[in-house]
Amino acid sequence: SNGFTTAKVELRELGNTGLKLSCVGFGASPLGNVFGPVSDDEAIGSVREAFRLGINFFDTSPYYGGTLSEKVLGKTLKAVGVPRSEYIVATKCGRYAEGFDFSAQRVTKSIDESLERLQLDYVDILQCHDIEFGNLDQIVSETIPALQKLKESGKIRFIGITGLPLGIFTYVLDRVPPGTVDVVLSYCHYGINDSALEDLLPYLKSKGVGVISASPLAMGLLTERGPPEWHPASPELKSACQAAAMYCKERGKNISKLAMQYSLSNKDISSVLVGMNSIKQVEENVAAAVGFQLQS
Ligand code: NAD
């Protein structure tokens, strides 16, 4: 048989959670039309193809598309009809279209709203979203304890924190009891233009914390199409990435595939979360992973 077409993406353990995540994770922010409009058919087609190729991990947030990403993901998971025990859903709290609120009251209400939009009874991971914009001491003393209560109630299974500056992770993990924060989600720090997360991996491993790395394509910078209008990179970085994409293309290589393979190469990262909104993107990103598995 042809291993290339039948192989499924590898599963990797997530810290001490016991969860096994597909090494390619489905970033659902594009389902909130964050990178341009997506039809229901495209959303359902992409998620169905993801399952077929072994992707079992989906990440969203009430912030993406002002709750649209959660709604579309919920509708799509229902339409595809895979049993609940066979997939892992992460969503977030504390960041909304209206602004940030990491109070215990808000995040406790937030999970009920998310579960309703997702049409689920529980999420596997609830993450405090972009904590550098909140007060980190509030995250430690108020938000995470509120999430622990949600864990006891069965609405969430595991607790995570997300954000851009890597110092936020050590700040929080040094101040909470061991085992309270199960997962960190870092983004734009393990890709071909920035691999700063690598230095933090031994620390995270020593704490037993699972690591998810998002935005392997640097939110569109590492694509032939280029980033969306809102992308925060400097004009210099944008044009350097555009030049790199063209350089690869002239040599018959796709920069997105190379970027995926680089991010997937470190097995201390459980899942590389890539935003996808078409069957073609799902297939390309899985091919990057499977081709890499066969090589290694
Ligand atoms: P990304 O680097 O994954 O890039 C996504 C963009 O690349 C989209 O425009 C997508 O359509 C396009 N793309 C995907 N596969 C492609 C391919 N094979 N060829 C060409 N283009 C391709 O950035 P992202 O979507 O921001 O990050 C991925 C996910 O990680 C998000 O959807 C979200 O779930 C999560 N995330 C979380 C945080 C946070 O918690 N703070 C931050 C960033 C990302």
Side-chain angles (χ1 to χ4, degrees):
S1 76
N2 178 346
F4 200 86
T5 51
T6 56
K8 291 194 170 195
V9 289
E10 166 193 347
L11 300 178
R12 297 181 186 170
E13 300 263 357
L14 181 68
N16 290 338
T17 63
L19 297 177
K20 286 190 170 122
L21 269 54
S22 52
C23 62
V24 177
F26 193 112
S29 72
L31 300 187
N33 296 349
V34 170
F35 293 90
V38 182
S39 70
D40 281 0
D41 282 352
E42 282 171 312
I44 292 169
S46 307
V47 169
R48 184 175 285 131
E49 188 65 358
F51 276 119
R52 195 179 72 80
L53 298 173
I55 291 177
N56 69 356
F57 175 46
F58 299 85
D59 176 77
T60 183
S61 164
Y63 176 66
Y64 300 148
T67 73
L68 186 65
S69 169
E70 285 191 334
K71 283 183 203 142
V72 173
L73 182 62
K75 191 157 57 164
T76 301
L77 288 170
K78 196 171 185 185
V80 172
V82 170
R84 179 67 186 92
S85 59
E86 290 176 22
Y87 59 87
I88 294 156
V89 175
T91 191
K92 311 195 182 81
C93 62
R95 181 168 201 177
Y96 310 96
E98 314 84 71
F100 292 92
D101 187 348
F102 290 102
S103 67
Q105 194 187 14
R106 183 68 190 98
V107 301
T108 303
K109 187 163 162 261
S110 183
I111 185 63
D112 291 332
E113 297 164 356
S114 289
L115 291 175
E116 192 175 330
R117 287 189 288 263
L118 286 162
Q119 307 183 48
L120 298 175
D121 302 327
Y122 68 92
V123 294
D124 299 275
I125 310 170
L126 184 63
Q127 305 162 117
C128 304
H129 194 173
D130 291 341
I131 59 172
E132 68 269 29
F133 295 101
N135 175 331
L136 294 184
D137 294 317
Q138 183 189 30
I139 302 290
V140 169
S141 64
E142 181 177 340
T143 323
I144 290 170
L147 266 49
Q148 282 182 287
K149 289 199 183 124
L150 296 177
K151 211 180 199 182
E152 285 156 21
S153 78
K155 290 177 186 176
I156 72 172
R157 294 178 66 197
F158 298 103
I159 295 171
I161 49 178
T162 86
L164 186 65
L166 294 169
I168 59 175
F169 299 126
T170 45
Y171 188 95
V172 171
L173 291 167
D174 283 342
R175 286 165 179 80
V176 295
T180 14
V181 171
D182 305 291
V183 183
V184 303
L185 186 165
S186 159
Y187 72 102
C188 289
H189 285 315
Y190 205 96
I192 52 178
N193 63 325
D194 180 341
S195 58
L197 176 63
E198 188 160 22
D199 292 341
L200 196 64
L201 293 173
Y203 167 91
L204 295 171
K205 205 175 204 177
S206 76
K207 293 270 183 186
V209 172
V211 183
I212 296 164
S213 176
S215 310
L217 309 181
M219 307 191 296
L221 276 184
L222 304 173
T223 63
E224 288 177 3
R225 186 174 170 214
E229 238 355 86
W230 52 258
H231 199 287
S234 66
E236 290 77 18
L237 182 56
K238 283 181 186 167
S239 60
C241 290
Q242 188 61 31
M246 285 310 111
Y247 181 90
C248 295
K249 193 175 180 177
E250 282 158 16
R251 282 153 188 81
K253 299 287 178 192
N254 183 302
I255 196 165
S256 302
K257 183 170 186 179
L258 298 175
M260 282 300 295
Q261 290 184 332
Y262 177 81
S263 296
L264 287 160
S265 66
N266 194 320
K267 307 250 170 158
D268 289 333
I269 292 169
S270 302
S271 192
V272 173
L273 257 179
V274 56
M276 301 189 274
N277 55 18
S278 72
I279 293 176
K280 183 164 176 272
Q281 286 177 2
V282 173
E283 287 176 346
E284 283 178 4
N285 294 332
V286 168
V290 172
F292 178 75
Q293 277 165 226
L294 293 181
Q295 280 161 32
S296 58

